Amino acid sequence: MLYKAKVVILTDIDGSMIGYNGSRDGVREAVELLNALHIPVVPVTAKTAHEILYLGEELGFASEGLIAVVEMGGAICSTTHLPLFEDPIEIKGLQCNPLGDLITEFEHMVEEALEGCKSVRLSRASLEDAERILGLKGLEALLATKRLFLEVVWSDDRKCLEEASEKLSRSGLNTFLGRRFLHVGSHRGKGEAVLKLLEILKIVTIGRPKIVGIGDSEADIEFLELVDEPIIIPQNSISTNLRLRRSDYTIAPHPAPQGWIWVARHIPLKM
C-alpha cells in the first residue's frame, strides 16, 4: 500500500491517537477508513517495537504491512527491508534500523546519574512497577518494558529527574524530560528519524505523497515542522500551549482519541 500512497500519516500514539487514560474507542474504525482509502498510518512514537506490533493488530494500522519510528527515534522499523537500512536488527519479524546505541551501551551512565535517586528504569521494571507507573495492565505494560534504544525513567522526585537529565546531557546523551518521565538515548529524537524516513519514502513511493503529521507534545515539534500538513492534538481541551515555528498548522477540536478520529475523517474530505 505504501508505494502508491498519495497521502501518508505520521502520528504520535500516546496523547495523539490514544488518550493518556488508554481510551481508544473509535480509533480502529477510523484507521479502517484510512486503509480503505490507501492512506498508510505510520507511528512516530516513544513506544517500543513490541508495543507497536501489538497495537498495529489491535487498531488495524498493520493490516497491509507496518512501518514505524519507535522509541522516540531510536529506530525505524518495518515488516519489510527498506532502502537505506544498514545492518537491521530483527524484532519479532520487524526489520529495525537503529539510529543510536543500544541501552546496554550507555546504561552505566544512566545508573551513575540516578545514584541516590529513588527511581524506576522502565527497561528493568517489574510487571508490577510497569503497571503502576504507566497505568497499563498486563501484556501492554510488559511490552512497554522491552526497550532497546530509549531508556525511560520514572521518579516521584521531579528534582531528581531534572538533575539526572542535566548530568546525562553533559555526558553527551540526549534527554527529554516530559511531565512524568525522563527519556534518555544516544539518538537525536523523532525529527532526525523522520528526516531519514522521508528519504525512504521518496524512494519507495510513486510520486511525492503528501505527508500529514499528528502530535500533541513538545517531543513531537521537531517532526511536525518537517511534514506538509502538521496537526496538533490538544491534551486536555480545545486549547493547547504547543506552538510551531511555522503558522500553517491545524489544531484538532478534541483531545485524543476523538481528535485523532476527527483528523482521520478530515483528511479524506480534503482529498
Side-chain angles (χ1 to χ4, degrees), residues 66-128:
L66 175 64
I67 181 171
V69 173
V70 301
E71 299 196 41
M72 206 175 281
I76 300 173
C77 298
S78 174
T79 48
T80 58
H81 185 84
L82 292 174
L84 305 183
F85 270 30
E86 300 172 2
D87 301 320
I89 297 172
E90 185 169 337
I91 303 174
K92 293 186 70 67
L94 283 178
Q95 297 288 320
C96 293
N97 185 40
L99 300 180
D101 296 328
L102 295 173
I103 293 173
T104 51
E105 296 295 318
F106 59 82
E107 65 178 345
H108 64 285
M109 299 165 68
V110 177
E111 287 294 324
E112 290 175 6
L114 292 171
E115 188 175 358
C117 176
K118 187 178 179 181
S119 60
V120 177
R121 285 177 49 193
L122 193 51
S123 69
R124 290 188 170 188
S126 65
L127 177 58
E128 182 181 4

Side-chain angles (χ1 to χ4, degrees), residues 37-178:
L37 295 170
H38 305 293
I39 300 175
V41 175
V42 177
V44 180
T45 177
K47 288 187 177 295
T48 67
H50 293 82
E51 290 178 277
I52 291 304
L53 282 167
Y54 172 81
L55 288 172
E57 293 299 325
E58 181 189 354
L59 299 179
F61 57 77
S63 62
E64 296 188 37
L66 175 64
I67 181 171
V69 173
V70 301
E71 299 196 41
M72 206 175 281
I76 300 173
C77 298
S78 174
T79 48
T80 58
H81 185 84
L82 292 174
L84 305 183
F85 270 30
E86 300 172 2
D87 301 320
I89 297 172
E90 185 169 337
I91 303 174
K92 293 186 70 67
L94 283 178
Q95 297 288 320
C96 293
N97 185 40
L99 300 180
D101 296 328
L102 295 173
I103 293 173
T104 51
E105 296 295 318
F106 59 82
E107 65 178 345
H108 64 285
M109 299 165 68
V110 177
E111 287 294 324
E112 290 175 6
L114 292 171
E115 188 175 358
C117 176
K118 187 178 179 181
S119 60
V120 177
R121 285 177 49 193
L122 193 51
S123 69
R124 290 188 170 188
S126 65
L127 177 58
E128 182 181 4
D129 278 343
E131 289 182 329
R132 175 173 57 88
I133 66 178
L134 295 173
L136 300 173
K137 296 296 182 183
L139 179 60
E140 288 195 50
L142 179 64
L143 296 177
T145 68
K146 295 185 178 296
R147 316 201 70 81
L148 292 177
F149 314 102
L150 179 76
E151 185 60 276
V152 176
V153 183
W154 174 91
S155 175
D156 57 8
D157 184 343
R158 178 75 179 186
K159 185 178 179 181
C160 163
L161 293 181
E162 291 173 351
E163 291 176 351
S165 178
E166 291 176 7
K167 291 176 185 176
L168 291 165
S169 295
R170 289 197 299 268
S171 298
L173 293 174
N174 294 301
T175 65
F176 175 79
L177 183 56

Side-chain angles (χ1 to χ4, degrees), residues 190-236:
K190 292 182 177 182
E192 184 172 286
V194 165
L195 277 174
K196 184 154 190 173
L197 179 59
L198 294 177
E199 290 181 46
I200 292 170
L201 291 178
K202 287 180 183 178
I203 298 172
V204 301
T205 55
I206 299 174
R208 168 68 164 84
K210 181 178 183 178
I211 309 297
V212 176
I214 306 173
D216 76 297
S217 74
E218 291 182 7
D220 302 319
I221 289 177
E222 286 186 354
F223 96 84
L224 291 178
E225 295 283 5
L226 301 172
V227 301
D228 298 316
E229 183 173 347
I231 301 175
I232 295 172
I233 306 293
Q235 292 187 349
N236 298 307

